[in-house]
Amino acid sequence: MVLIRGQVTTWQDGPETPSYPELKEENDRLRREITTLKAQQERRQSNTLPQTHRSSKSIDGIEYTPGELADGLWESLALESHTRGSRVSDWADIILPNVECSRKLIEFDMKWDSWVHYALEYPQFKDESDNFAGRLEAGLALDEADVSWLAVYFSVLSTALLMMEDDEAQSLPLSPGVPVEQVSQNWYEAALFCLHKAHFLRVPNVHSVQAIAVLCMAFNNRGDSELGHHMRVSAIRIAQTLRLAQDDGKRKDGYLSLEAERRLWWTLVICEWLNLTHESPVIDESDFSIPLPSVSHREVQDTLVDPVHYHIFMARTSQVIYKFRISLKYGVKSLKDAIDIVKAADEELASIIDSLPSHLQPESDAVTDAEIQALESTQPWIKWQRYDLTLVLLHLRMHINRVLQKQWLSSPEEYHWARTVSVTSAMSLIWINRSWDQPASTRKQCTSSKDNREYIEAIEAGLVLLDAVESHNLLARHAARVLRKSITGVFT
């Protein structure tokens, strides 16, 4: 509404006025075109500049960045998370599990999830959960229980149900008529509800740290990446306040065993340092001196292995990435410095892989190795640890070498090695997700090609994988959406 020649005039929408989504889509398209034109202009300019001048200019582009697609993904995810509200605002809103359901979910966590979050001590937590579920069926009211412990309990239930295979989840004795996804979401929101009821930001409690460490497995899947970042930072601060895992004689009693506290602490550090976004880490290596997790020395059968090897790998890997990012931020004075940093990080990752036990080596295969086959028959999680470690390695190598993308675009021959590592790692990620169960002897090696068709097929395969899990993973749904928008017209 405006004033024109003394009269109030109101804007009238024309018949072809674009809607807000249409305007947003057009803005996104124009932004992509501008980015493409800028890249083309930079390549033309770099090709006409003397080599010495080109090198000095190229340093300006040396920085850690997750890339435009990743930026679009996190922005898209954050926008949707703002529009959702919790359905749990009272104790009566929480769906109660029965004894059998609780037992099966806790057993699932103990077998499949506990070596990821390392937030709990088993079998103690299982005993506590079984006892609580029994009291619940006997008539215990939720508000009569330890609310901070309830945050841990519902974190475990929700995450276990989220990670469980569909067939197994459908067989659980859940509330009749309530979909599995809704039950899992309810328990996730119940965990957050209990954390707030426990005043976790005001009252430091190890249960709050444990609950958030478990939820770190689920924040992105549920589309709560922004909340997850703040919760993770809070957990780190709470752990520091509690002097968690610090064996310095300045506290009377430990909350957990010293080794359990170390593993819990490193879970938080791993999540923070391997957070591959623009966010700078909130904790520096100089802020703590807590040893890495260690392999237990308990007497076990020869056929059993300690799952903590996976955790140690992730902790050491997070150290490499932290050092890599800090070095790029403060240690680059020349292009040679950047190249040395990239190569050093890549070599450190390789050395970590070399130090892994044989059952976790990426090239190990139960089909051809009888010893590994025997281990996997009694401990099936070994295969998935090896699978995850391989994907983590490829993902990080792709990110590390991608730092030199501007250099390989302007000087393809000189920096082809960085491009090759980055591209083949990305394509291998897709291939492994599709073909992991094939014997090692029949696996095809992904190689870079000048034929765009190969890349198109890899992208299409990636979209199929994302679509397959989108019902359980909001991050995958947004990733597919961002990827489809980005490739429109690129290869046509």
Side-chain angles (χ1 to χ4, degrees):
M1 186 170 64
V2 295
L3 195 65
I4 300 178
R5 295 182 179 178
Q7 294 185 346
V8 175
T9 301
T10 304
W11 167 260
Q12 300 294 327
D13 285 346
E16 298 182 359
T17 300
S19 64
Y20 174 77
E22 290 172 336
L23 287 172
K24 186 176 184 302
E25 184 175 350
E26 178 65 10
N27 282 338
D28 291 340
R29 185 187 67 79
L30 291 173
R31 188 179 293 111
R32 290 195 299 272
E33 288 190 5
I34 291 172
T35 301
T36 302
L37 289 172
K38 283 183 177 179
Q40 292 174 349
Q41 184 178 16
E42 288 176 1
R43 286 198 294 271
R44 285 196 297 269
Q45 290 176 345
S46 64
N47 288 334
T48 59
L49 288 172
Q51 184 64 36
T52 55
H53 185 57
R54 187 188 310 169
S55 297
S56 63
K57 291 289 287 183
S58 63
I59 298 174
D60 296 336
I62 299 294
E63 61 177 351
Y64 174 81
T65 172
E68 293 175 15
L69 285 182
D71 287 343
L73 169 60
W74 297 118
E75 289 173 7
S76 174
L77 202 60
L79 285 173
E80 182 164 325
S81 67
H82 294 163
T83 64
R84 299 193 312 274
S86 174
R87 297 181 181 179
V88 175
S89 58
D90 189 82
W91 293 112
D93 297 329
I94 299 175
I95 298 173
L96 301 181
N98 60 33
V99 171
E100 183 183 359
C101 181
S102 175
R103 177 181 58 80
K104 288 185 175 181
L105 287 169
I106 297 301
E107 288 176 351
F108 180 90
D109 178 80
M110 184 166 58
K111 181 177 182 179
W112 292 105
D113 291 349
S114 62
W115 47 264
V116 178
H117 58 65
Y118 268 113
L120 308 168
E121 284 191 292
Y122 282 106
Q124 178 183 338
F125 182 73
K126 182 181 185 306
D127 294 339
E128 293 172 352
S129 299
D130 290 346
N131 178 266
F132 170 74
R135 293 170 59 206
L136 204 58
E137 282 204 344
L140 175 72
L142 282 178
D143 58 2
E144 296 175 0
D146 181 346
V147 68
S148 61
W149 183 88
L150 284 178
V152 181
Y153 179 70
F154 284 117
S155 296
V156 173
L157 294 191
S158 65
T159 304
L161 191 54
L162 179 68
M163 301 299 171
M164 190 175 280
E165 292 288 340
D166 289 344
D167 291 344
E168 187 175 1
Q170 293 292 344
S171 68
L172 292 173
L174 299 172
S175 300
V178 183
V180 171
E181 294 80 8
Q182 186 175 329
V183 176
S184 179
Q185 182 68 23
N186 179 272
W187 288 337
Y188 168 74
E189 293 172 358
L192 297 175
F193 173 79
C194 291
L195 280 170
H196 288 289
K197 279 289 185 181
H199 303 290
F200 77 105
L201 292 177
R202 292 190 177 95
V203 183
N205 190 309
V206 72
H207 289 325
S208 300
V209 181
Q210 291 174 296
I212 294 171
V214 176
L215 291 174
C216 281
M217 293 181 63
F219 284 127
N220 286 345
N221 291 46
R222 297 189 185 280
D224 267 344
S225 58
E226 190 69 17
L227 173 65
H229 169 70
H230 295 299
M231 296 292 279
R232 184 175 66 249
V233 172
S234 298
I236 290 173
R237 298 306 183 214
I238 295 169
Q240 289 176 313
T241 300
L242 295 173
R243 305 189 68 80
L244 193 74
Q246 296 185 30
D247 188 23
D248 53 10
K250 294 184 179 180
R251 60 179 196 176
K252 295 180 180 179
D253 300 308
Y255 306 98
L256 309 168
S257 68
L258 182 59
E259 178 60 26
E261 290 189 14
R262 286 175 178 171
R263 295 178 182 186
L264 174 56
W265 168 258
W266 274 101
T267 293
L268 300 176
V269 174
I270 290 166
C271 292
E272 181 62 20
W273 283 356
L274 290 184
N275 178 36
L276 302 179
T277 66
H278 284 293
E279 298 286 349
S280 297
V282 300
I283 189 167
D284 186 82
E285 62 180 353
S286 63
D287 292 335
F288 65 96
S289 58
I290 297 172
L292 289 171
S294 59
V295 179
S296 61
H297 298 291
R298 67 182 186 275
E299 292 293 326
V300 296
Q301 301 176 29
D302 293 338
T303 56
L304 297 180
V305 296
D306 195 329
V308 79
H309 287 290
Y310 172 90
H311 204 51
I312 296 171
F313 166 86
M314 295 297 289
R316 292 179 63 192
T317 299
S318 71
Q319 289 178 313
V320 172
I321 298 304
Y322 168 80
K323 179 181 176 182
F324 169 71
R325 294 183 65 174
I326 293 299
S327 297
L328 281 182
K329 189 172 184 179
Y330 299 110
V332 177
K333 296 181 180 179
S334 66
L335 182 56
K336 182 181 182 302
D337 290 337
I339 294 172
D340 290 343
I341 290 170
V342 168
K343 289 184 175 180
D346 211 28
E347 290 171 2
E348 286 185 70
L349 288 179
S351 68
I352 294 175
I353 289 293
D354 290 340
S355 68
L356 287 171
S358 59
H359 67 275
L360 293 181
Q361 290 288 337
E363 294 303 317
S364 297
D365 182 28
V367 174
T368 57
D369 191 315
E371 182 180 350
I372 293 177
Q373 186 177 35
L375 288 174
E376 291 184 1
S377 65
T378 56
Q379 299 162 102
W381 46 263
I382 289 176
K383 176 180 179 180
W384 292 105
Q385 283 194 346
R386 185 168 67 249
Y387 169 84
D388 284 338
L389 295 186
T390 304
L391 295 184
V392 167
L393 173 67
L394 290 169
H395 186 66
L396 295 179
R397 292 195 74 196
M398 177 183 68
H399 273 272
I400 288 171
N401 286 274
R402 187 187 171 280
V403 166
L404 297 175
Q405 183 178 24
K406 289 187 177 180
Q407 281 64 44
W408 80 53
L409 288 175
S410 60
S411 303
E413 294 184 3
E414 187 175 358
Y415 300 100
H416 72 280
W417 53 272
R419 178 186 182 278
T420 299
V421 172
S422 189
V423 173
T424 54
S425 294
M427 296 183 71
S428 294
L429 282 167
I430 296 172
W431 184 87
I432 289 175
N433 272 292
R434 300 174 68 192
S435 314
W436 180 259
D437 284 334
Q438 293 184 10
S441 58
T442 63
R443 292 178 191 168
K444 299 177 182 177
Q445 298 300 316
C446 293
T447 57
S448 62
S449 167
K450 295 182 180 179
D451 183 3
N452 279 345
R453 186 63 223 168
E454 184 177 2
Y455 298 138
I456 295 173
E457 291 174 354
I459 292 171
E460 290 172 345
L463 286 170
V464 170
L465 292 169
L466 292 171
D467 291 340
V469 299
E470 70 165 8
S471 62
H472 298 84
N473 191 325
L474 195 58
L475 182 65
R477 187 191 312 167
H478 282 265
R481 183 185 305 168
V482 170
L483 187 56
R484 284 192 171 96
K485 282 186 178 180
S486 300
I487 64 175
T488 301
V490 172
F491 292 116
T492 58

